[in-house]
């Protein structure tokens, strides 16, 4: 049950973040292959780093072929219909908030399942959420945007923190996951509205 | 037997890629130590990442001292005889193709041996081939060239794919390795000839 | 006993390097969160990489919450009192030498405890010392300074080498650690004095 929750959240976050990676790649005029690499990096680097750090080896994104397929799909769609996807780039910002919420919650949950200290589990949830975007930015040789916009990472940390808090209070994991996701989403939505 | 095949291919690829790392380091006017670090990074980052991801820990390049020695040797030769090695930089392009073929084949083979899903094994073969060059470029603060020249990565993927295909069809591993290496080499040679 | 020695050296090095990360972050005008990330990265990337490579998973900096707390403390102090910390930036150079000595010694010692080949243990000691600074520089999109100032890495390698040499000669680990630390410190102090 827990396993399926993490899987669904992880794949959903991967899809959305892979789109953001592909859009950056197209902006930097990378070719088709570069687009696919940045899709995969943005969609999976956070989760892979989390899995290496908690000892879930091979990481889910390597063991389970669906992560690659989902990333490639998102990258291909973005690449082929770039004029269209670009027009919706503001909506992508909303999608990105959803991806962040999924990853923060899934990351914290998986770390807890692997017996990591609660405080570190919350931080690993945050890392799962921001890691993909950081690698994406380093690969196109920029300073990761997350280092300049702190509310982004704090939203992820808050969402992950709720999951961990729920765990400590022995709330049902699904409930804690929904609550954590809502907190992360609400914080991001407020930040996006304010510009 | 399989073990020896992977070792020989890995060390050969390491040597060639370490040269490419050292040449970039000299170009960016790094000192002797910087040259050795870039030699090691270019020659081993792909294999180390592969090993971490498939759970072969400690990675071969850490467990076996020969990888460091081979990298340091390649770096030292390039550094000391730079005027000479530079003159042959076009030939290095050919050598690089050989290194890519070695790594793609060895990477796919080792992933299969560790029970990774065939599709992921092919991608890990490609990653083994391109990972070193990517870290080399990130360390001198550029966008990895492989993200801009897609035939490079596709050649590695094709070579790794042949190894995986051979595995699925139960061809003898050595045969599949030779065939995969030839496919990768042929694709790179065509690309280099066309400029 | 060995365990406590490594822990104390590791936490001390983390604190000092986290300060250096925070100072770079403030210089690049990152916000509070960016400062904390660079503090953690500079203070822990070397040790985390070492632990992943030697198979000590989860890495100490993930399993033990004290590493995060120490990093955050160093980052917060640097951020809040930047005008003060900046005035002492030359003294930070001395502190940095102490951190390097701690990490080089702790890194080599931990690698030996995990049964890594002596030569690789010395190199892992060096990597523990320089890894944090390298990630710090890559995240603000520069070429790692360590690649341009070779005596820095050589000092770490010398200190780690003494620890490994002591291990091979069956000297008591604490003695070897003190000697290795002194060698690293002496080399750095000479380099800093000469400018």
């Amino acid at each position: 049950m827990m396993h399926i929750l993490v899987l669904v959240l992880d794949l959903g976050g991967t899809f959305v973040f892979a789109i953001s990676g592909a859009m950056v790649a197209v902006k930097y005029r990378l070719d088709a292959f570069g687009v696919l690499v940045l899709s995969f990096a943005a969609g999976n680097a956070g989760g892979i780093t989390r899995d290496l750090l908690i000892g879930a080896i091979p990481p889910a994104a390597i063991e389970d072929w669906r992560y690659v397929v989902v990333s490639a799909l998102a990258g291909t769609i973005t690449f082929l219909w770039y004029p269209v996807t670009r027009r919706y780039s503001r909506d992508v910002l909303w999608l990105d908030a959803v991806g962040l919420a999924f990853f923060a919650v899934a990351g914290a949950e998986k770390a807890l399942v692997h017996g990591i200290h609660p405080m570190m589990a919350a931080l690993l949830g945050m890392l799962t959420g921001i890691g993909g975007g950081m690698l994406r930015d380093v690969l196109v040789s920029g300073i990761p945007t997350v280092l300049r916009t702190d509310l982004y990472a704090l939203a992820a940390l808050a969402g992950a923190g709720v999951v961990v808090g729920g765990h400590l209070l022995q709330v049902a994991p699904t409930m804690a996951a929904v609550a954590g996701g809502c907190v992360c989403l609400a914080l991001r939505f407020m930040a996006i509205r304010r510009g």
Side-chain angles (χ1 to χ4, degrees), chain A:
Chain A
M1 183 57 211
M2 220 49 257
H3 181 67
I4 293 173
L5 178 64
V6 169
L7 180 68
V8 170
L9 292 173
D10 247 15
L11 284 175
T14 297
F15 184 80
V16 175
F17 276 13
I19 290 178
S20 87
M23 291 189 75
V24 167
V26 174
K27 212 178 104 194
Y28 278 82
R29 303 185 172 284
L30 303 185
D31 53 35
F33 172 74
V35 171
L36 290 177
V37 169
L38 248 74
S39 301
F40 185 78
N44 296 282
I48 288 178
T49 309
R50 173 201 62 202
D51 288 353
L52 287 179
L53 292 177
I54 66 177
I57 297 174
I62 300 299
E63 199 167 42
D64 184 336
W65 53 269
R66 280 171 292 194
Y67 290 85
V68 165
V69 169
V70 162
S71 306
L73 196 69
T76 308
I77 291 172
T78 310
F79 186 65
L80 292 181
W81 289 292
Y82 186 64
V84 180
T85 40
R86 190 189 186 182
R87 215 185 307 151
Y88 292 97
S89 67
R90 190 149 181 91
D91 304 81
V92 168
L93 218 55
W94 299 94
L95 266 183
D96 181 272
V98 176
L100 188 71
F102 278 21
F103 269 163
V105 167
E109 188 62 47
K110 189 162 184 181
L112 287 172
V113 170
H114 276 74
I116 302 290
H117 185 282
M119 187 180 76
M120 299 310 299
L123 288 168
L124 283 166
M126 183 187 78
L127 177 67
T128 311
I130 68 175
M134 288 181 75
L135 181 58
R136 175 197 65 204
D137 295 344
V138 165
L139 284 179
V140 294
S141 178
I143 299 184
T145 48
V146 65
L147 294 184
R148 293 193 185 279
T149 49
D150 53 354
L151 287 176
Y152 191 83
L154 282 185
L157 185 57
V162 168
V163 171
V164 171
H167 171 81
L168 293 177
L169 299 171
Q170 297 182 310
V171 176
T174 324
M175 290 253 314
V178 170
C182 288
V183 166
C184 178
L185 270 178
L187 288 172
R188 280 304 295 152
F189 280 5
M190 280 193 299
I192 295 171
R193 278 219 167 164
R194 293 193 170 196

